[in-house]
Coordinates of all heavy atoms in Angstrom, one line a residue:
M1 N 10.0 16.0 -16.8 CA 9.4 15.5 -15.6 C 8.3 16.5 -15.1 O 8.6 17.7 -15.1 CB 10.4 15.2 -14.5 CG 11.2 14.0 -14.7 SD 12.1 13.4 -13.3 CE 13.4 14.5 -13.2
P2 N 7.2 16.0 -14.6 CA 6.2 17.0 -14.1 C 6.7 17.7 -12.8 O 7.4 17.1 -12.0 CB 5.0 16.1 -13.8 CG 5.5 14.7 -13.7 CD 6.7 14.6 -14.5
T3 N 6.3 18.9 -12.7 CA 6.8 19.7 -11.5 C 5.7 19.8 -10.5 O 4.5 20.0 -10.8 CB 7.1 21.1 -12.0 OG1 8.2 21.0 -12.9 CG2 7.7 22.0 -10.8
I4 N 6.0 19.7 -9.2 CA 5.1 20.0 -8.1 C 5.5 21.2 -7.4 O 6.7 21.4 -7.1 CB 5.2 18.8 -7.1 CG1 5.0 17.5 -7.7 CG2 4.1 19.1 -5.9 CD1 5.4 16.3 -6.7
H5 N 4.6 22.2 -7.2 CA 4.9 23.4 -6.4 C 4.3 23.2 -5.0 O 3.1 22.9 -4.9 CB 4.3 24.6 -7.1 CG 4.7 24.8 -8.5 ND1 6.0 25.1 -8.8 CD2 4.0 24.7 -9.7 CE1 6.1 25.2 -10.1 NE2 4.9 24.9 -10.7
Y6 N 5.1 23.3 -4.0 CA 4.6 23.2 -2.6 C 4.7 24.6 -2.0 O 5.7 25.3 -2.0 CB 5.6 22.4 -1.8 CG 5.7 20.9 -2.2 CD1 6.7 20.5 -3.1 CD2 4.9 19.9 -1.7 CE1 6.8 19.2 -3.6 CE2 5.0 18.6 -2.1 CZ 6.0 18.3 -3.0 OH 6.1 17.0 -3.4
I7 N 3.5 25.1 -1.5 CA 3.5 26.4 -0.8 C 3.6 26.1 0.7 O 2.8 25.4 1.3 CB 2.2 27.1 -1.1 CG1 2.0 27.4 -2.6 CG2 2.2 28.5 -0.3 CD1 0.8 28.0 -3.0
L8 N 4.7 26.6 1.3 CA 5.0 26.3 2.7 C 4.2 27.2 3.6 O 3.6 28.2 3.2 CB 6.5 26.4 2.9 CG 7.4 25.6 1.9 CD1 8.8 25.7 2.3 CD2 7.0 24.1 1.9
K9 N 4.3 26.9 4.9 CA 3.6 27.7 5.9 C 4.0 29.2 5.9 O 3.3 30.1 6.2 CB 3.8 27.1 7.3 CG 2.9 25.9 7.5 CD 3.1 25.3 8.9 CE 4.2 24.3 8.9 NZ 4.2 23.6 10.2
D10 N 5.3 29.4 5.6 CA 5.8 30.8 5.6 C 5.4 31.5 4.3 O 5.9 32.7 4.1 CB 7.3 30.9 5.9 CG 8.1 30.2 4.7 OD1 7.5 29.8 3.7 OD2 9.4 30.1 4.9
G11 N 4.7 30.9 3.4 CA 4.3 31.5 2.1 C 5.3 31.3 1.0 O 5.0 31.7 -0.1
S12 N 6.5 30.8 1.3 CA 7.4 30.5 0.2 C 7.0 29.3 -0.6 O 6.2 28.5 -0.1 CB 8.8 30.4 0.8 OG 8.9 29.2 1.6
T13 N 7.6 29.1 -1.8 CA 7.3 28.0 -2.6 C 8.5 27.2 -2.9 O 9.6 27.7 -3.2 CB 6.7 28.6 -4.0 OG1 5.5 29.3 -3.7 CG2 6.3 27.4 -4.9
R14 N 8.4 25.9 -2.8 CA 9.4 24.9 -3.3 C 8.9 24.2 -4.5 O 7.7 23.7 -4.5 CB 9.7 23.9 -2.2 CG 10.4 24.4 -1.0 CD 11.9 24.4 -1.1 NE 12.5 23.2 -1.7 CZ 12.9 22.2 -1.0 NH1 12.7 22.0 0.3 NH2 13.5 21.2 -1.6
S15 N 9.7 24.2 -5.6 CA 9.2 23.5 -6.8 C 10.2 22.4 -7.0 O 11.4 22.5 -7.0 CB 9.3 24.5 -8.0 OG 8.4 25.6 -7.8
I16 N 9.6 21.2 -7.3 CA 10.3 20.0 -7.4 C 9.9 19.2 -8.6 O 8.7 19.0 -8.9 CB 10.2 19.1 -6.1 CG1 10.9 19.8 -4.9 CG2 10.7 17.7 -6.3 CD1 10.5 19.3 -3.6
D17 N 10.9 18.7 -9.4 CA 10.6 17.9 -10.6 C 10.4 16.5 -10.1 O 11.2 15.9 -9.4 CB 11.7 17.9 -11.6 CG 11.8 19.3 -12.2 OD1 10.8 20.0 -12.3 OD2 13.0 19.6 -12.6
A18 N 9.2 15.9 -10.4 CA 8.8 14.6 -9.9 C 8.9 13.5 -10.9 O 8.5 13.7 -12.1 CB 7.4 14.6 -9.3
K19 N 9.3 12.3 -10.6 CA 9.3 11.2 -11.5 C 7.9 10.7 -11.6 O 7.2 10.5 -10.6 CB 10.1 10.1 -10.8 CG 11.0 9.3 -11.8 CD 12.0 8.5 -11.1 CE 11.5 7.0 -11.1 NZ 12.4 6.1 -10.4
P20 N 7.4 10.6 -12.8 CA 6.0 10.0 -13.0 C 5.9 8.7 -12.2 O 6.8 7.9 -12.2 CB 5.9 9.8 -14.5 CG 6.9 10.8 -15.1 CD 8.0 10.8 -14.1
G21 N 4.8 8.6 -11.5 CA 4.6 7.4 -10.7 C 4.9 7.6 -9.3 O 4.5 6.7 -8.4
S22 N 5.7 8.6 -9.0 CA 6.0 8.9 -7.6 C 4.8 9.7 -7.0 O 4.1 10.3 -7.7 CB 7.3 9.6 -7.4 OG 7.3 10.8 -8.1
S23 N 4.8 9.7 -5.6 CA 3.7 10.5 -5.0 C 4.1 11.9 -4.6 O 5.3 12.1 -4.5 CB 3.1 9.7 -3.8 OG 4.0 9.8 -2.7
V24 N 3.1 12.7 -4.4 CA 3.4 14.1 -4.0 C 4.1 14.0 -2.6 O 5.0 14.8 -2.3 CB 2.2 14.9 -3.9 CG1 2.4 16.3 -3.2 CG2 1.7 15.2 -5.4
M25 N 3.7 13.1 -1.8 CA 4.4 12.9 -0.5 C 5.8 12.5 -0.6 O 6.7 13.1 0.1 CB 3.6 11.9 0.4 CG 4.1 11.6 1.7 SD 5.5 10.4 1.7 CE 4.7 8.8 1.5
E26 N 6.1 11.5 -1.4 CA 7.5 11.0 -1.6 C 8.4 12.1 -2.0 O 9.5 12.2 -1.5 CB 7.5 9.9 -2.6 CG 6.8 8.5 -2.1 CD 6.7 7.6 -3.2 OE1 6.6 8.0 -4.4 OE2 6.5 6.4 -2.9
N27 N 7.9 12.9 -2.9 CA 8.8 14.0 -3.4 C 9.1 15.0 -2.3 O 10.1 15.6 -2.3 CB 8.2 14.6 -4.6 CG 8.4 13.7 -5.9 OD1 9.4 13.7 -6.5 ND2 7.3 13.0 -6.2
A28 N 8.1 15.2 -1.5 CA 8.3 16.2 -0.4 C 9.3 15.6 0.6 O 10.2 16.3 1.0 CB 6.9 16.4 0.3
V29 N 9.1 14.4 1.0 CA 10.0 13.8 2.0 C 11.5 13.7 1.5 O 12.4 14.1 2.1 CB 9.5 12.4 2.4 CG1 10.5 11.6 3.2 CG2 8.2 12.5 3.2
R30 N 11.6 13.3 0.2 CA 12.9 13.1 -0.4 C 13.7 14.5 -0.5 O 14.9 14.6 -0.5 CB 12.8 12.6 -1.8 CG 13.2 11.1 -1.9 CD 13.3 10.7 -3.4 NE 12.4 9.6 -3.6 CZ 11.5 9.5 -4.5 NH1 11.3 10.5 -5.4 NH2 10.7 8.4 -4.6
N31 N 12.9 15.6 -0.6 CA 13.5 16.9 -0.8 C 13.3 17.8 0.4 O 13.5 19.0 0.3 CB 12.9 17.5 -2.0 CG 13.3 16.8 -3.3 OD1 14.4 17.0 -3.8 ND2 12.4 16.0 -3.8
N32 N 13.0 17.2 1.6 CA 13.0 17.9 2.8 C 12.0 19.1 2.8 O 12.3 20.2 3.2 CB 14.3 18.4 3.3 CG 15.3 17.2 3.6 OD1 14.9 16.3 4.2 ND2 16.5 17.3 3.1
V33 N 10.9 18.9 2.2 CA 9.8 19.9 2.2 C 9.2 19.9 3.6 O 8.7 18.9 4.0 CB 8.7 19.7 1.1 CG1 7.6 20.6 1.3 CG2 9.4 19.8 -0.3
R34 N 9.3 21.1 4.2 CA 8.9 21.1 5.6 C 7.3 21.1 5.7 O 6.7 21.7 4.9 CB 9.3 22.4 6.3 CG 10.9 22.4 6.5 CD 11.3 23.6 7.3 NE 10.8 24.9 6.7 CZ 11.4 25.5 5.7 NH1 12.4 25.1 5.1 NH2 10.8 26.6 5.2
G35 N 6.8 20.4 6.7 CA 5.4 20.4 6.9 C 4.6 19.3 6.4 O 3.4 19.2 6.5
I36 N 5.3 18.3 5.7 CA 4.6 17.1 5.3 C 5.4 16.0 6.1 O 6.5 15.6 5.7 CB 4.7 16.9 3.8 CG1 3.9 18.0 3.1 CG2 4.2 15.5 3.4 CD1 3.8 17.9 1.6
D37 N 4.7 15.5 7.2 CA 5.4 14.6 8.1 C 5.4 13.1 7.5 O 6.5 12.5 7.7 CB 4.8 14.6 9.4 CG 4.9 16.0 10.1 OD1 5.7 16.8 9.5 OD2 4.2 16.3 11.1
A38 N 4.3 12.7 7.0 CA 4.2 11.3 6.4 C 4.7 10.2 7.4 O 5.6 9.4 7.0 CB 5.0 11.3 5.1
E39 N 4.2 10.2 8.6 CA 4.7 9.3 9.6 C 4.5 7.8 9.2 O 5.3 7.0 9.6 CB 4.0 9.5 10.9 CG 4.5 10.8 11.6 CD 3.7 11.2 12.8 OE1 2.8 10.5 13.2 OE2 4.0 12.3 13.4
C40 N 3.6 7.5 8.4 CA 3.3 6.0 8.1 C 4.1 5.7 6.8 O 4.0 4.5 6.4 CB 1.9 5.7 8.0 SG 1.1 6.2 6.4
G41 N 4.8 6.6 6.2 CA 5.6 6.2 5.0 C 4.8 6.0 3.8 O 5.3 5.5 2.8
G42 N 3.5 6.4 3.8 CA 2.7 6.3 2.6 C 1.7 5.2 2.5 O 1.2 4.9 1.4
C43 N 1.5 4.5 3.6 CA 0.5 3.4 3.6 C -0.9 3.8 3.9 O -1.7 2.9 4.3 CB 1.1 2.2 4.3 SG 1.3 2.5 6.0
C44 N -1.1 5.0 3.9 CA -2.5 5.6 4.1 C -3.0 5.2 5.5 O -4.1 4.6 5.6 CB -3.4 5.2 3.0 SG -4.8 6.3 2.8
S45 N -2.3 5.5 6.5 CA -2.8 5.3 7.9 C -2.5 6.3 8.9 O -2.9 6.1 10.0 CB -2.2 3.9 8.4 OG -0.8 4.0 8.5
C46 N -1.8 7.4 8.5 CA -1.5 8.4 9.5 C -2.1 9.8 9.3 O -2.3 10.5 10.3 CB 0.0 8.6 9.6 SG 0.7 9.5 8.1
A47 N -2.4 10.2 8.1 CA -3.0 11.5 7.8 C -2.1 12.7 8.0 O -2.5 13.8 8.1 CB -4.3 11.7 8.5
T48 N -0.7 12.4 8.2 CA 0.2 13.5 8.4 C 0.9 14.0 7.1 O 1.9 14.6 7.2 CB 1.3 13.2 9.5 OG1 2.0 12.1 9.0 CG2 0.6 12.8 10.8
C49 N 0.2 13.6 6.0 CA 0.7 14.1 4.7 C -0.3 15.0 4.1 O -0.3 15.1 2.8 CB 1.1 13.0 3.9 SG -0.3 11.9 3.5
H50 N -1.2 15.5 4.9 CA -2.4 16.3 4.4 C -1.9 17.5 3.7 O -0.9 18.2 4.1 CB -3.2 16.8 5.6 CG -4.3 17.7 5.4 ND1 -4.7 18.6 6.4 CD2 -5.1 17.9 4.3 CE1 -5.8 19.2 5.9 NE2 -6.0 18.8 4.6
V51 N -2.5 17.8 2.5 CA -2.2 19.0 1.7 C -3.5 19.6 1.2 O -4.5 18.9 1.1 CB -1.3 18.8 0.6 CG1 0.1 18.4 1.1 CG2 -1.8 17.8 -0.4
Y52 N -3.5 20.9 0.9 CA -4.6 21.5 0.2 C -4.2 21.7 -1.3 O -3.2 22.3 -1.6 CB -4.9 22.9 0.8 CG -5.3 22.9 2.2 CD1 -4.5 23.5 3.2 CD2 -6.5 22.2 2.7 CE1 -4.8 23.4 4.5 CE2 -6.8 22.2 4.0 CZ -6.0 22.8 4.9 OH -6.3 22.7 6.3
V53 N -5.0 21.0 -2.2 CA -4.7 21.0 -3.6 C -5.3 22.2 -4.3 O -6.5 22.6 -4.0 CB -5.2 19.7 -4.3 CG1 -4.9 19.7 -5.8 CG2 -4.6 18.5 -3.6
D54 N -4.5 22.9 -5.1 CA -5.0 24.1 -5.8 C -6.3 23.7 -6.6 O -6.3 22.6 -7.3 CB -3.9 24.5 -6.8 CG -4.3 25.8 -7.5 OD1 -4.1 26.9 -7.0 OD2 -4.9 25.7 -8.6
D55 N -7.3 24.5 -6.6 CA -8.5 24.2 -7.2 C -8.4 23.7 -8.7 O -9.2 22.9 -9.1 CB -9.5 25.4 -7.2 CG -10.0 25.7 -5.8 OD1 -9.9 24.8 -4.9 OD2 -10.4 26.8 -5.5
A56 N -7.5 24.3 -9.4 CA -7.3 24.0 -10.8 C -7.0 22.5 -11.0 O -7.1 22.0 -12.1 CB -6.3 24.9 -11.4
F57 N -6.4 21.9 -10.0 CA -6.0 20.5 -10.1 C -6.9 19.5 -9.4 O -6.8 18.3 -9.7 CB -4.6 20.4 -9.6 CG -3.6 21.0 -10.6 CD1 -3.2 22.3 -10.4 CD2 -3.0 20.3 -11.6 CE1 -2.4 23.0 -11.3 CE2 -2.1 20.9 -12.4 CZ -1.8 22.2 -12.3
V58 N -7.8 20.0 -8.6 CA -8.6 19.0 -7.8 C -9.4 18.1 -8.8 O -9.4 16.9 -8.5 CB -9.6 19.8 -6.9 CG1 -10.7 18.9 -6.3 CG2 -8.9 20.6 -5.8
A59 N -9.9 18.6 -9.8 CA -10.8 17.8 -10.7 C -9.9 16.8 -11.5 O -10.5 15.8 -12.1 CB -11.6 18.6 -11.6
L60 N -8.7 17.0 -11.6 CA -7.8 16.1 -12.3 C -7.4 14.9 -11.5 O -6.9 13.9 -12.1 CB -6.5 16.8 -12.8 CG -6.7 18.0 -13.7 CD1 -5.3 18.6 -14.0 CD2 -7.4 17.6 -15.0
L61 N -7.7 14.9 -10.2 CA -7.3 13.8 -9.4 C -8.4 12.8 -9.3 O -9.6 13.1 -9.2 CB -7.0 14.3 -8.0 CG -5.9 15.3 -7.8 CD1 -5.7 15.8 -6.4 CD2 -4.6 14.8 -8.4
P62 N -8.1 11.5 -9.2 CA -9.2 10.5 -8.9 C -9.7 10.8 -7.5 O -9.0 11.3 -6.6 CB -8.4 9.2 -8.9 CG -7.0 9.4 -9.1 CD -6.7 10.9 -9.3
P63 N -11.0 10.5 -7.3 CA -11.6 10.8 -6.0 C -10.9 10.0 -4.9 O -10.4 8.9 -5.1 CB -13.1 10.5 -6.2 CG -13.2 9.7 -7.5 CD -12.0 10.0 -8.2
A64 N -11.0 10.5 -3.7 CA -10.4 9.9 -2.6 C -11.2 8.6 -2.3 O -12.4 8.6 -2.4 CB -10.5 10.7 -1.3
D65 N -10.5 7.5 -2.0 CA -11.2 6.3 -1.7 C -11.7 6.3 -0.2 O -11.5 7.3 0.5 CB -10.4 5.0 -2.0 CG -9.1 5.0 -1.1 OD1 -9.1 5.7 -0.1 OD2 -8.2 4.2 -1.4
D66 N -12.4 5.3 0.2 CA -13.0 5.3 1.6 C -12.0 5.5 2.7 O -12.2 6.2 3.6 CB -13.8 4.0 1.8 CG -15.1 3.9 1.0 OD1 -15.5 5.0 0.5 OD2 -15.7 2.9 1.0
M67 N -10.8 4.8 2.5 CA -9.8 4.9 3.6 C -9.2 6.3 3.7 O -9.1 6.9 4.7 CB -8.7 3.9 3.2 CG -7.7 3.8 4.4 SD -6.3 2.7 4.0 CE -7.1 1.1 4.3
E68 N -8.9 6.9 2.5 CA -8.4 8.3 2.5 C -9.5 9.3 3.1 O -9.2 10.1 3.9 CB -8.0 8.7 1.1 CG -7.5 10.2 1.0 CD -7.0 10.6 -0.3 OE1 -7.1 9.9 -1.3 OE2 -6.6 11.8 -0.4
N69 N -10.7 9.0 2.6 CA -11.8 9.9 3.1 C -11.9 9.9 4.6 O -12.1 10.9 5.3 CB -13.1 9.4 2.4 CG -13.9 10.5 2.1 OD1 -13.6 11.7 2.3 ND2 -15.2 10.2 1.7
D70 N -11.9 8.7 5.2 CA -12.0 8.5 6.6 C -10.8 9.2 7.3 O -11.0 9.9 8.3 CB -11.9 7.1 7.1 CG -13.3 6.3 6.7 OD1 -14.2 7.0 6.4 OD2 -13.3 5.1 6.8
L71 N -9.6 9.1 6.8 CA -8.4 9.7 7.4 C -8.5 11.2 7.3 O -8.2 12.0 8.2 CB -7.1 9.2 6.8 CG -6.7 7.9 7.2 CD1 -5.5 7.4 6.3 CD2 -6.2 7.9 8.7
L72 N -9.1 11.7 6.2 CA -9.2 13.2 6.0 C -10.1 13.8 7.1 O -10.0 14.9 7.4 CB -9.7 13.5 4.6 CG -8.6 13.4 3.5 CD1 -9.2 13.4 2.1 CD2 -7.6 14.5 3.7
D73 N -11.1 13.0 7.5 CA -12.0 13.4 8.6 C -11.2 13.8 9.9 O -11.7 14.5 10.7 CB -13.1 12.4 8.9 CG -14.2 12.5 7.8 OD1 -14.3 13.5 7.2 OD2 -14.9 11.5 7.7
G74 N -10.0 13.1 10.0 CA -9.3 13.3 11.3 C -8.0 14.1 11.2 O -7.2 14.1 12.1
V75 N -7.9 14.9 10.1 CA -6.6 15.6 9.9 C -6.5 16.7 11.0 O -7.6 17.2 11.5 CB -6.5 16.3 8.5 CG1 -6.2 15.2 7.5 CG2 -7.7 17.1 8.1
A76 N -5.3 17.1 11.3 CA -5.1 18.1 12.4 C -5.5 19.5 12.1 O -6.1 20.2 12.9 CB -3.6 18.1 12.8
S77 N -5.3 19.9 10.9 CA -5.8 21.2 10.4 C -7.1 21.0 9.7 O -7.5 19.9 9.3 CB -4.8 21.8 9.4 OG -3.6 22.1 10.0
E78 N -7.9 22.1 9.6 CA -9.2 22.0 9.1 C -9.3 21.3 7.7 O -8.5 21.6 6.8 CB -9.8 23.4 8.9 CG -11.2 23.5 8.4 CD -11.6 24.9 7.9 OE1 -10.7 25.8 7.9 OE2 -12.8 25.0 7.5
R79 N -10.2 20.4 7.6 CA -10.5 19.7 6.3 C -11.2 20.7 5.4 O -12.2 21.3 5.8 CB -11.2 18.4 6.5 CG -11.5 17.7 5.1 CD -12.2 16.5 5.3 NE -12.4 15.8 3.9 CZ -12.9 14.6 3.7 NH1 -13.3 13.9 4.7 NH2 -13.0 14.2 2.5
Q80 N -10.8 20.8 4.2 CA -11.4 21.7 3.2 C -11.8 20.8 2.0 O -11.2 19.7 1.8 CB -10.5 22.8 2.8 CG -10.2 23.8 4.0 CD -9.2 24.9 3.6 OE1 -8.9 25.1 2.4 NE2 -8.8 25.6 4.6
P81 N -12.6 21.3 1.1 CA -13.0 20.5 -0.1 C -11.8 20.1 -0.9 O -11.8 19.1 -1.6 CB -13.9 21.5 -0.9 CG -14.5 22.4 0.2 CD -13.4 22.6 1.2
C82 N -10.7 20.9 -0.9 CA -9.5 20.6 -1.6 C -8.5 19.8 -0.9 O -7.4 19.6 -1.3 CB -8.9 21.8 -2.2 SG -8.3 22.9 -0.9
S83 N -8.9 19.3 0.3 CA -7.9 18.5 1.1 C -7.7 17.1 0.5 O -8.7 16.5 0.1 CB -8.5 18.3 2.6 OG -8.4 19.5 3.3
R84 N -6.4 16.7 0.5 CA -6.1 15.3 0.1 C -4.9 14.9 0.9 O -4.2 15.7 1.4 CB -5.7 15.3 -1.4 CG -6.9 15.6 -2.4 CD -8.0 14.7 -2.3 NE -7.7 13.3 -2.6 CZ -7.9 12.7 -3.7 NH1 -8.5 13.4 -4.7 NH2 -7.6 11.5 -3.9
L85 N -4.7 13.6 0.9 CA -3.5 13.0 1.5 C -2.5 12.9 0.3 O -2.7 12.3 -0.7 CB -3.8 11.6 2.1 CG -4.7 11.7 3.2 CD1 -4.9 10.2 3.8 CD2 -4.3 12.6 4.4
S86 N -1.3 13.5 0.5 CA -0.4 13.7 -0.6 C 0.3 12.3 -0.9 O 0.8 12.2 -2.0 CB 0.7 14.7 -0.3 OG 1.4 14.4 0.9
C87 N 0.2 11.3 -0.1 CA 0.7 10.0 -0.4 C -0.2 9.3 -1.4 O 0.2 8.3 -2.0 CB 0.9 9.1 0.8 SG -0.5 8.6 1.7
Q88 N -1.4 9.8 -1.6 CA -2.4 9.2 -2.5 C -2.4 9.9 -3.8 O -3.3 9.6 -4.7 CB -3.8 9.1 -1.8 CG -3.8 8.4 -0.5 CD -3.3 6.9 -0.7 OE1 -3.9 6.2 -1.5 NE2 -2.3 6.6 0.0
I89 N -1.6 10.9 -4.0 CA -1.6 11.6 -5.3 C -0.3 11.2 -6.1 O 0.8 11.4 -5.7 CB -1.5 13.2 -5.1 CG1 -2.6 13.6 -4.2 CG2 -1.5 13.9 -6.4 CD1 -2.6 15.1 -3.9
T90 N -0.6 10.5 -7.1 CA 0.5 9.9 -8.0 C 0.7 10.8 -9.1 O -0.2 11.2 -9.8 CB 0.1 8.5 -8.5 OG1 -0.2 7.6 -7.3 CG2 1.2 7.9 -9.3
M91 N 1.9 11.2 -9.3 CA 2.3 12.1 -10.4 C 2.2 11.5 -11.8 O 2.7 10.4 -12.0 CB 3.7 12.7 -10.1 CG 3.8 13.7 -8.9 SD 2.6 15.0 -9.1 CE 3.2 15.9 -10.5
T92 N 1.6 12.3 -12.6 CA 1.5 12.0 -14.1 C 1.9 13.2 -14.9 O 1.9 14.3 -14.3 CB 0.1 11.5 -14.4 OG1 -0.8 12.7 -14.2 CG2 -0.4 10.3 -13.7
A93 N 2.1 13.1 -16.1 CA 2.4 14.2 -17.0 C 1.3 15.3 -16.9 O 1.5 16.5 -16.9 CB 2.6 13.8 -18.4
E94 N 0.1 14.7 -16.8 CA -1.1 15.6 -16.8 C -1.1 16.5 -15.5 O -1.7 17.6 -15.5 CB -2.4 14.7 -16.7 CG -3.7 15.5 -16.9 CD -4.9 14.6 -16.7 OE1 -4.8 13.6 -16.1 OE2 -6.0 15.0 -17.3
L95 N -0.4 16.1 -14.4 CA -0.4 16.9 -13.2 C 0.8 17.9 -13.2 O 1.0 18.5 -12.1 CB -0.4 15.9 -12.0 CG -1.6 15.1 -11.8 CD1 -1.4 14.2 -10.5 CD2 -2.9 16.0 -11.6
D96 N 1.4 18.0 -14.3 CA 2.6 19.0 -14.3 C 2.1 20.3 -13.8 O 1.1 20.9 -14.3 CB 3.1 19.1 -15.7 CG 4.3 20.0 -15.9 OD1 5.1 20.1 -14.9 OD2 4.4 20.7 -16.9
G97 N 2.8 20.9 -12.9 CA 2.5 22.2 -12.3 C 1.5 22.2 -11.1 O 1.1 23.3 -10.6
I98 N 1.2 21.0 -10.7 CA 0.3 20.9 -9.5 C 0.8 21.7 -8.4 O 2.0 21.7 -8.1 CB 0.0 19.4 -9.1 CG1 -1.2 19.4 -8.1 CG2 1.2 18.8 -8.6 CD1 -1.6 18.0 -7.8
T99 N -0.1 22.4 -7.7 CA 0.3 23.3 -6.6 C -0.4 22.8 -5.3 O -1.7 22.6 -5.4 CB 0.0 24.7 -6.8 OG1 0.7 25.2 -8.0 CG2 0.4 25.6 -5.6
V100 N 0.3 22.5 -4.3 CA -0.3 22.0 -3.1 C 0.2 22.9 -1.9 O 1.3 23.3 -1.8 CB 0.0 20.6 -2.7 CG1 -0.6 19.6 -3.8 CG2 1.5 20.3 -2.5
R101 N -0.7 23.3 -1.0 CA -0.4 24.1 0.1 C -0.3 23.2 1.4 O -1.1 22.4 1.6 CB -1.5 25.2 0.3 CG -1.1 26.2 1.4 CD -2.0 27.4 1.2 NE -3.4 27.2 1.1 CZ -4.2 27.0 2.2 NH1 -3.7 27.1 3.4 NH2 -5.5 26.7 2.0
V102 N 0.8 23.4 2.1 CA 1.0 22.7 3.4 C 0.2 23.3 4.4 O 0.1 24.5 4.6 CB 2.5 22.7 3.7 CG1 2.8 22.1 5.1 CG2 3.3 22.1 2.6
P103 N -0.6 22.4 5.2 CA -1.4 23.0 6.3 C -0.6 23.5 7.4 O 0.5 23.3 7.6 CB -2.3 21.8 6.7 CG -1.5 20.6 6.3 CD -0.7 21.0 5.1
E104 N -1.4 24.2 8.3 CA -0.7 24.8 9.5 C 0.0 23.8 10.4 O 1.1 24.0 10.9 CB -1.8 25.6 10.3 CG -1.2 26.7 11.2 CD -0.3 27.6 10.4 OE1 -0.6 28.1 9.3 OE2 0.8 27.9 11.0
T105 N -0.7 22.7 10.6 CA -0.1 21.6 11.4 C -0.5 20.3 10.9 O -1.6 20.1 10.3 CB -0.4 21.8 12.9 OG1 0.2 20.8 13.7 CG2 -2.0 21.8 13.1
Q106 N 0.3 19.2 11.2 CA -0.1 17.8 10.9 C -0.4 17.0 12.1 O -0.8 15.9 11.9 CB 1.1 17.2 10.1 CG 1.4 17.8 8.7 CD 0.4 17.5 7.6 OE1 -0.6 16.9 7.8 NE2 0.8 17.9 6.4
I107 N -0.1 17.6 13.2 CA -0.3 16.8 14.5 C -1.2 17.5 15.5 O -1.2 18.7 15.5 CB 1.0 16.4 15.2 CG1 1.9 17.6 15.3 CG2 1.7 15.3 14.3 CD1 3.1 17.4 16.2
Ligands
FES1 FE1 0.6 8.5 6.1 FE2 -0.1 9.6 3.8 S1 1.9 9.3 4.6 S2 -1.4 8.8 5.3

């Protein structure tokens, strides 16, 4: 199973084996990764699942669609070029080892 590494606000890392087809957000919520609130449950309407994706993996992701892009404009922590909504990142074997950093705040 592909692994996701979450870098938490305190600098520690949580590594979770993800089922292909599941999202980076779902794996965080299921495993109590702190700092990914995901208030809308993954229907791309809250922007509280914001993460910073490691540069090595940004190009492997499909580009954000218009809805995700609009929500990213309103995230609580600064939007960066590597900002994505973790509910929109679907795990595949190719994404094995993806590293995402949790932002300072989601609200
Ligand atoms: Fe709400 Fe991702 S969980 S936008």
Side-chain angles (χ1 to χ4, degrees):
M1 282 198 284
T3 302
I4 308 168
H5 304 292
Y6 299 88
I7 301 176
L8 307 183
K9 283 184 269 188
D10 65 5
S12 64
T13 301
R14 290 275 314 275
S15 298
I16 290 166
D17 292 332
K19 220 166 102 183
S22 62
S23 74
V24 169
M25 176 280 281
E26 287 167 341
N27 286 282
V29 169
R30 255 190 237 128
N31 292 281
N32 297 316
V33 172
R34 292 184 310 276
I36 296 183
D37 298 347
E39 284 172 6
C40 78
C43 61
C44 203
S45 64
C46 72
T48 61
C49 64
H50 176 208
V51 293
Y52 300 115
V53 177
D54 184 89
D55 287 341
F57 288 88
V58 170
L60 298 180
L61 302 178
D65 63 16
D66 288 348
M67 188 182 283
E68 181 181 358
N69 214 8
D70 286 351
L71 282 170
L72 283 167
D73 280 340
V75 290
S77 293
E78 182 194 3
R79 179 178 183 175
Q80 297 179 6
C82 63
S83 287
R84 295 299 300 260
L85 298 181
S86 58
C87 68
Q88 302 302 302
I89 304 174
T90 302
M91 288 305 294
T92 61
E94 191 187 21
L95 293 180
D96 182 34
I98 189 171
T99 301
V100 299
R101 188 163 51 83
V102 173
E104 202 49 46
T105 183
Q106 297 282 9
I107 49 170

